[in-house]
Amino acid sequence: MSILRLKVLILFCIFSFTTCARLFAQVNKARQLFYHISEKDGLADNVVNCFFQDSRGLMWMGTQNGLTSFDGSELKTWRPGAQSTNDQLLSNRIYAITEDELHNLWMSTENGLSAMDPITKKIHTWQYDGDNRMRGLVYDGGKLWIASGDGLLLFDTREKTFRHFVNTASDAPNVHRYNNDLNGLLLDSKKRLWLATVNGVWLFDITKQNFEQYDGPNNDPFYDGMINTVIEDHAGKIWIGCWSHGLKSLDPATRTVKNFKTIVEIPAHIMSIAEQKVEGKRYTMWLSDFLTEFNQDELKAQQHGLKPIAEAASLEPRCLYISRDNLLWVSTVKGIYILDPTRQLFNHYFIGGQNRITNQNPALFAQNGKLWIGGDTKLQLETFDTNFNLLSNKTPAIRNLDGYNAPEIAIMSITPYDKDELLLSTTLGILQLNTKTNKIQVLSKTIGDSTKKTTSFINNTFIYNKNIWCFPWRSGIWQFDSTQHKFKPLVEKLAEASGKPKGLNLQDALADPKGNIWATDLDYGVVKYTAATKKFERIVTKDITPYSRAVRILYLKGAVWALVNTSVVAIDPETDQTKSWPLPAGMDKFVYDYTDDGNGNIWMATRTGLVVFNIANHSFNQYTEEDGLVNNDMDGAIQKIQGGEMVYAGENYITSFKPAGVLRVPARKKLLLTEISADDTVLNISSVKKIIVPAGTEKITLKWALLNYTNPLQNRYYNKLEKIDKDWNYAGNKGQIEYNHLPPGNYIFRYRAVTADGLTGDEHTLAFTIAPKFWQTWWFICVMVMLLVLLILMIMRNVRIRERKKSALQLQLSALEMKALRAQMNPHFIFNALNSIQECIITKNTNTAYTYLSSFSKLVRMILENSEKQFITLEDEIETLRLYLSIEKLRFDNSFEYLIDTGPKVDPSFVNIPAMIIQPYVENALWHGLINKKGEKKLLIHFDQRNGNLECTIRDNGVGRSHTAELQTNTRIKKHSMGMKITEERLQLLETEASITINDLRDQNGNACGTEVIVVIPLEF
């Protein structure tokens, strides 16, 4: 849906023009102000067949191409689908709309009956087994009376059934089809059903179910068979609109038909009639053709016509409707026009004969029921009554004065002097007019003397203590000396901000209660004359800066007021202190003139329209072309006249208005929440107390509307969502806002609207809840918390069990490590090693004894140091093995050879392994494999890295395990390798993936040739 673009059209109604004696053309009636809606704004079709306002206040329009709703903010349209079904409109052409007590919307269409659910907006349709051209319908307690092209139909809204009533009351059978060709119907206040047919007006008795003709050739001398419409007015009177015989009234009691075709400007062809309340208890009747206004009390008619462009042909209205806010809705081929009688605020009168009243600024003055207007060219000075009828023209008299025949001479201001005297400030001196004798004379053509530069351009004159002061252009203040009949200077210059004297360019002045004079300067703001000191001074404050512009000076409520640049400034006459109120944005372009209305309001003619400021509450209001002004650029003069009315003169027209009417407080408009949708799915907001937004919704759209159809483009919408918005958001002239990715929870949405008149409506609220996803619900969170607590308890329990187990394992490890230590430090090894050392000493083999003793001491020290550690580096393990094997090799007279090496991927200094883990297998290979062998004896110890593990291979070329077992059996020696058993138990306690593999090596003949032990230790230590 496109954004609503309501175009305000100031339309001149077609009136007769009467030309006054000279040049002033008077318009007898103010022009009408309409608001326009068309297809460009979202209307389904420019041609609207019917209007209806539902119980909520929404406007519905049945068009030639679908159904449109309008809530003052948004236009929505419904049309039939590609295929005809019972859940959509069966025709684009909608002729009548009504509503039942359940707020269902019923529509008669070109092809059947349709109903719309008020909540879901779903449409259902029904068709009669016959002619389905349904042109009108009324609702009556569960029943719908329908005007069709084939007679009267009754539809039971509960049973969903049709009943057909055929009018056969005429004696002539050939007219039966005309009797049953219905254009419309009316259920009046007395429950009488009136039928507009192609053969007059008929009454259908609902109780007796018979037809009776009330307008026919027998009782109507101006009988017109084709009846377009029948309505009932506020007094219960029946009115008839005919195809060719205009307007008629019907008295059912006497069956009297009265025709009004003889009244001037009553149209002959009337498609629609509507009655509107205009003021007080008075009503006016609108007739469709030429948009004719009919006053039935005075029996007068006036054709207004609708002309978007003055030169264009009048748009012929088709359908008229009065909404509950007393607006007139008019259907034309160019769309809808809306008329508010209370918005006809401004009356405009246009000057004939010249394009502008003056090339300067118009002069306005009101006195004794007369309005004086001063200008130039052909309108130098004229007077009018309160209805703007020309009373007198002083222009010829001025032209007859010596030197005043030039058309460019303009009247700048009009000032009262004495009882019957007026002073006219002009661009060529000052004139004096006697209003009683109409004599005009020159008071002074120029201001100045022989020693000073003279000027003739006079801005204004001011009377002070019966003395005439005049304000020449940029020449200060001069006072008239009646004895010498010339003006003398009082003050010509005052120092500017730089201290340099600058000529005064005064425009207006007034005296306060103490006799002090306050004057406005077009260049320097405000000038004050103190009566006690007889001195002039500039008023310079934070609000009136040097080089400020001020036009008028006002005295209101004990303060001096002026418009300084674009701020309203109040001056305390006692202290000269000031306060200011800047014009709001959009109103602060330029102020041409201003005055007060006597009720505390200052009215300003500005470049952006008419602006009013209230000095009590400091509020601003603005009125523009959309409110009926001719032009927003009001380059002219504004003045209060008798009766409190205001007059503005500018360009070639004069505008009058009543401030009280413009400032009226309009009736409050209803504010509706029209829609809330979750991810484009509309939620039900009418019958539920609490709105639940489904879980997982990413986008929430809220729409609200102010049912103000008078000037909807100027409605302003605001919103605030608690928890999200800190301040109110301005939504523009359309009540719609979207929120994305809101977390689950409860929300309060606040919304309001302000009319073009500045009337703020009540704040409304909507509470809604965004449902959480199941894992965000309270029960799920509670279950998760309980599971988490249970898991923590289980973890704590397992930790305690593991700690206890770890403590027990630590004790076992410590015991096994002590056993391993004892295994490495077994008495036999120590005893034999010491014996070998002793033998070297006895045999005086000192070097060998020293080497033996040194290696033995290092080995003992390393074993004792490593016994305190759970893990040692591979480098320390290799060093321990080297010391151990060197000692054993010395003991056994170098009877075996050994080799310890590492693979290229192994860095012994960075690899950690359990302490004392390899030595038992090396000892076992030495004692059980090599010692019992004869011949060459070799032992290989190789460390390498494979698959993230440290692999240690201990290979000997000894007798093998089987031969060792035979030896033990034959010698009956049962020696168990405690070191290997202890090592296996230690690896199991460490709970690692370590493994020990023992392989028996055999030669090609299958004989044992050694043993290979592979110890795999993970590199996680």
Side-chain angles (χ1 to χ4, degrees), residues 745-781:
N746 298 319
Y747 294 90
I748 295 179
F749 178 69
R750 302 185 182 276
Y751 57 99
R752 59 187 175 91
V754 181
T755 68
D757 301 298
L759 181 65
T760 302
D762 296 333
E763 177 185 317
H764 289 221
T765 60
L766 170 72
F768 65 91
T769 299
I770 300 179
K773 295 182 179 179
F774 76 91
W775 61 81
Q776 296 173 319
T777 57
W778 66 269
W779 60 266
F780 183 84
I781 294 174

Side-chain angles (χ1 to χ4, degrees), residues 119-120 676 682-688 690-692:
I119 299 173
T120 64
I676 176 171
V682 178
L683 304 180
N684 180 7
I685 61 175
S686 60
S687 60
V688 293
K690 189 175 182 180
I691 297 175
I692 305 296

Side-chain angles (χ1 to χ4, degrees), residues 668-939:
R668 286 186 176 272
K669 305 297 182 180
K670 188 176 181 181
L671 184 65
L672 288 181
L673 182 74
T674 57
E675 184 180 300
I676 176 171
S677 60
D679 290 337
D680 301 326
T681 299
V682 178
L683 304 180
N684 180 7
I685 61 175
S686 60
S687 60
V688 293
K689 295 182 179 180
K690 189 175 182 180
I691 297 175
I692 305 296
V693 179
T697 298
E698 295 186 358
K699 180 181 70 174
I700 297 176
T701 304
L702 299 111
K703 297 181 180 180
W704 67 107
L706 185 67
L707 300 182
N708 174 36
Y709 303 109
T710 297
N711 191 0
L713 182 64
Q714 298 301 312
N715 293 338
R716 302 187 295 276
Y717 293 89
Y718 300 86
N719 66 277
K720 180 180 180 181
L721 184 62
E722 292 190 358
K723 299 181 181 180
I724 302 298
D725 301 320
K726 294 181 180 179
D727 300 312
W728 284 90
N729 298 318
Y730 174 53
N733 62 357
K734 186 176 181 180
Q736 180 173 331
I737 189 70
E738 290 183 0
Y739 290 97
N740 296 306
H741 307 293
L742 290 177
N746 298 319
Y747 294 90
I748 295 179
F749 178 69
R750 302 185 182 276
Y751 57 99
R752 59 187 175 91
V754 181
T755 68
D757 301 298
L759 181 65
T760 302
D762 296 333
E763 177 185 317
H764 289 221
T765 60
L766 170 72
F768 65 91
T769 299
I770 300 179
K773 295 182 179 179
F774 76 91
W775 61 81
Q776 296 173 319
T777 57
W778 66 269
W779 60 266
F780 183 84
I781 294 174
C782 290
V783 170
M784 289 296 101
V785 170
M786 294 175 62
L787 290 176
L788 180 61
V789 171
L790 181 62
L791 179 63
I792 292 173
L793 292 175
M794 292 179 64
I795 292 174
M796 292 175 62
R797 179 175 177 272
N798 290 335
V799 168
R800 286 196 295 270
I801 292 173
R802 290 182 63 182
E803 287 296 328
R804 287 196 294 267
K805 186 177 179 180
K806 185 177 180 180
S807 299
L809 290 175
Q810 192 66 36
L811 291 174
Q812 288 181 302
L813 282 171
S814 299
L816 290 173
E817 287 171 357
M818 290 302 297
K819 289 181 180 180
L821 176 63
R822 287 195 296 270
Q824 286 186 310
M825 301 288 291
N826 66 77
H828 296 286
F829 171 72
I830 296 173
F831 179 75
N832 292 332
L834 292 176
N835 282 340
S836 299
I837 295 171
Q838 183 180 10
E839 182 181 356
C840 291
I841 294 173
I842 293 174
T843 59
K844 296 183 179 182
N845 193 351
T846 307
N847 291 334
T848 303
Y850 175 77
T851 301
Y852 208 144
L853 185 60
S854 174
S855 298
F856 181 74
S857 64
K858 288 181 180 180
L859 176 63
V860 172
R861 185 178 72 250
M862 289 192 70
I863 290 175
L864 292 176
E865 288 178 353
N866 293 342
S867 66
E868 296 178 355
K869 303 175 184 178
Q870 191 171 355
F871 299 97
I872 61 174
T873 64
L874 179 60
E875 185 179 37
D876 290 341
E877 182 73 6
I878 291 174
E879 180 64 16
T880 302
L881 293 174
R882 188 185 63 77
L883 292 173
Y884 169 73
L885 289 174
S886 64
I887 293 172
E888 292 286 46
K889 183 178 181 181
L890 185 62
R891 283 180 57 205
F892 292 109
D893 297 326
N894 295 317
S895 62
F896 68 90
E897 298 293 331
Y898 68 90
L899 175 65
I900 303 174
D901 69 347
T902 60
K905 297 181 181 180
V906 178
D907 187 346
S909 61
F910 285 97
V911 177
N912 291 331
I913 62 173
M916 300 178 292
I917 205 76
I918 302 298
Q919 189 271 341
Y921 297 100
V922 174
E923 179 183 1
N924 189 69
L926 181 65
W927 282 91
H928 297 285
L930 296 178
I931 297 303
N932 297 322
K933 181 184 178 181
K934 297 180 181 179
E936 183 181 25
K937 303 174 184 178
K938 292 184 178 180
L939 178 63

Side-chain angles (χ1 to χ4, degrees), residues 946-963:
R946 290 187 178 89
N947 301 323
N949 297 319
L950 178 68
E951 188 176 284
C952 177
T953 303
I954 306 162
R955 185 183 297 116
D956 65 75
N957 63 346
V959 296
R961 288 191 298 172
S962 58
H963 185 69

Side-chain angles (χ1 to χ4, degrees), residues 59 82 97 143 156 182 284 311 374 412 566 631 635 637 718 720 731 854 913 990:
M59 288 298 301
I97 306 172
K143 298 178 180 179
D156 190 316
L182 276 58
T284 191
E311 295 78 11
M412 299 301 298
T566 55
N631 193 340
D635 185 2
Y718 300 86
K720 180 180 180 181
S854 174
I913 62 173
L990 288 174

